[in-house]
Amino acid sequence: QVHLVESGGGSVQSGGSLRLSCAASGYTESEYCMAWFRQAPGKEREGVAGVHSLGRTLYADSVKHRATISLDRAKKTLYLQMNGLKPEDTAMYYCAARSCATWVSLTLRLADWTDYWGQGTQVTVSS
């Protein structure tokens, strides 16, 4: 059973930075992809950034140039470094994982990430 646990959220002022972490356990295969999603109150969950087992990364336009996703496979930990935070970045941030042994593409479509989800970590950015 795969278990994902996010941490690193908190309250920061506009322009600040945060580093989110997602520790994965129970994963036995090597070909897996991971991603960060977020959901603000009253809004749909949206993709923020993803990383493929082949090394490709993908970012939502809203965070491009402000966010960096990285995966430490030895530690089985996913990170999201976010700089220049804005009030509109306020949301619950979720970690997701899926097998990508037969998945060549990398998308941030919610429908493509149905395998495993964490419980989320809250990020609040004040102006």
Side-chain angles (χ1 to χ4, degrees):
Q1 180 70 26
V2 175
H3 194 49
L4 304 175
V5 179
E6 302 94 334
S7 62
S11 297
V12 297
Q13 290 191 327
S14 182
S17 299
L18 279 175
R19 188 195 195 201
L20 306 182
S21 300
C22 172
S25 60
Y27 234 113
T28 58
E29 64 172 292
S30 60
E31 301 297 325
Y32 61 93
C33 299
M34 298 188 75
W36 288 99
F37 285 75
R38 66 185 182 187
Q39 188 168 18
K43 294 189 177 181
E44 294 186 352
R45 192 169 297 191
E46 63 176 4
V48 177
V51 57
H52 196 279
S53 62
L54 297 175
R56 293 197 307 274
T57 57
L58 180 66
Y59 296 92
D61 288 342
S62 58
V63 301
K64 198 172 291 183
H65 307 307
R66 298 190 296 122
T68 302
I69 188 171
S70 59
L71 176 60
D72 186 330
R73 292 193 179 275
K75 295 182 179 179
K76 293 186 177 180
T77 301
L78 180 72
Y79 301 98
L80 181 69
Q81 176 69 43
M82 292 199 67
N83 303 317
L85 284 162
K86 306 174 182 180
E88 49 263 45
D89 293 318
T90 295
M92 185 71 80
Y93 283 70
Y94 298 91
C95 172
R98 59 159 288 164
S99 170
C100 55
T102 57
W103 192 44
V104 179
S105 303
L106 177 63
T107 78
L108 294 176
R109 294 190 308 163
L110 189 60
D112 290 332
W113 295 84
T114 58
D115 289 359
Y116 305 104
W117 287 89
Q119 294 301 306
T121 185
Q122 178 68 37
V123 172
T124 302
V125 185
S126 58
S127 57

